[in-house]
Amino acid sequence: MSHTLSEFESKQLLREYGIATTPEHLATDPDRAVAAATQLGFPVVLKLCGRAIAHKTERDLVRLNLIDAGMVRAAATELLAKKQPADGDAQLLVQAMVHGRREIIVGLIRDPQFGPCVMLGLGGILAEAMRDVVFRMAPLSRADADDMVGDLQAAHLLGAFRGEPSIDRDALAQVLIAVGRIGLERDAVRSLDINPLIVRGASPIAVDALMEVAD
């Protein structure tokens, strides 16, 4: 048996392994959500966050680019009204808004034959259109991580592209190596999806994450 961690809990573990994530706070009501947004600085993102909420977008539980306290308060009230009994102790998750034109998926699976394997692919609409993903067994060396990037069919999109700088290859490699370490050092983690890992300027930042762990 297994269960999923909340997005907030999943990203706490990512931060323990040095993976950059969005600055964020949990809030239980609209007033606290406004206070958190003010502390982070506008614009912000607001989500309903809990262990039972694996697919927030499909349930319309994400509000983007909230630029002032009034918008945050209205969105918080709206999201809390969408909370269902099965969502348990779900709270509001207030995040700094991260802008970037390129999105990446990084994941971890446990293969019955090969053990923990790290996945890298292009995210967003490109993920569905191109199915451009590569896998490597953990542990990953720096050379393995570089090879994964190079093996993507659309690797050129991670270089300088349409006014965007080349992605920080060192930072991306460290994300891949860290996910491999999670697979080797955290036996309870059955799977992990970091989706999207948005490239802000040159830096990859985990904006959402979902981790499945053994009971």
Side-chain angles (χ1 to χ4, degrees):
M1 298 291 290
S2 64
H3 64 277
T4 56
L5 299 182
S6 71
E7 176 184 338
F8 185 79
E9 293 172 316
S10 298
K11 286 196 285 191
Q12 279 183 313
L13 183 58
L14 298 187
R15 286 190 284 271
E16 290 180 23
Y17 280 80
I19 297 174
T21 70
T22 47
E24 60 191 23
H25 300 289
L26 288 171
T28 54
D29 56 50
D31 287 341
R32 289 181 173 84
V34 169
T38 303
Q39 180 180 348
L40 289 168
F42 296 98
V44 297
V45 175
L46 202 60
K47 303 175 180 177
L48 193 63
C49 175
R51 288 189 171 187
I53 303 175
H55 303 291
K56 293 180 285 293
T57 301
E58 287 82 347
R59 286 186 52 192
D60 189 30
L61 298 178
V62 180
R63 299 292 181 272
L64 301 173
N65 204 31
L66 306 174
I67 61 173
D68 58 36
M71 292 184 70
V72 171
R73 188 180 304 280
T77 302
E78 185 181 9
L79 291 179
L80 288 173
K82 289 178 173 285
K83 184 176 174 181
Q84 301 174 359
D87 295 332
D89 58 354
Q91 300 183 51
L92 297 162
L93 183 60
V94 188
Q95 300 176 333
M97 183 81 191
V98 175
H99 295 280
R101 296 169 59 188
R102 293 172 291 183
E103 297 184 1
I104 297 170
I105 298 174
V106 174
L108 173 75
I109 62 168
R110 291 194 181 277
D111 182 87
Q113 181 175 359
F114 300 110
C117 296
V118 179
M119 183 270 287
L120 170 68
L122 295 182
I125 58 173
L126 293 175
E128 297 181 5
M130 303 177 69
R131 300 185 184 278
D132 188 6
V133 296
V134 294
F135 292 86
R136 289 292 188 283
M137 293 168 50
L140 269 66
S141 66
R142 172 56 195 266
D144 293 328
D146 287 340
D147 285 346
M148 290 182 75
V149 177
D151 286 349
L152 289 172
Q153 298 173 36
H156 63 283
L157 296 179
L158 299 180
F161 180 76
R162 293 196 173 185
E164 299 285 335
S166 296
I167 190 171
D168 184 337
R169 294 286 288 265
D170 289 336
L172 180 55
Q174 290 310 310
V175 171
L176 297 171
I177 292 169
V179 169
R181 286 181 54 211
I182 291 173
L184 291 172
E185 298 171 6
R186 303 278 182 153
D187 290 338
V189 176
R190 292 191 172 180
S191 67
L192 166 64
D193 280 311
I194 305 174
N195 183 22
L197 189 75
I198 289 182
V199 184
R200 181 177 64 184
S203 302
I205 298 174
V207 171
D208 201 348
L210 181 65
M211 191 173 296
E212 178 189 9
V213 297
D215 291 336

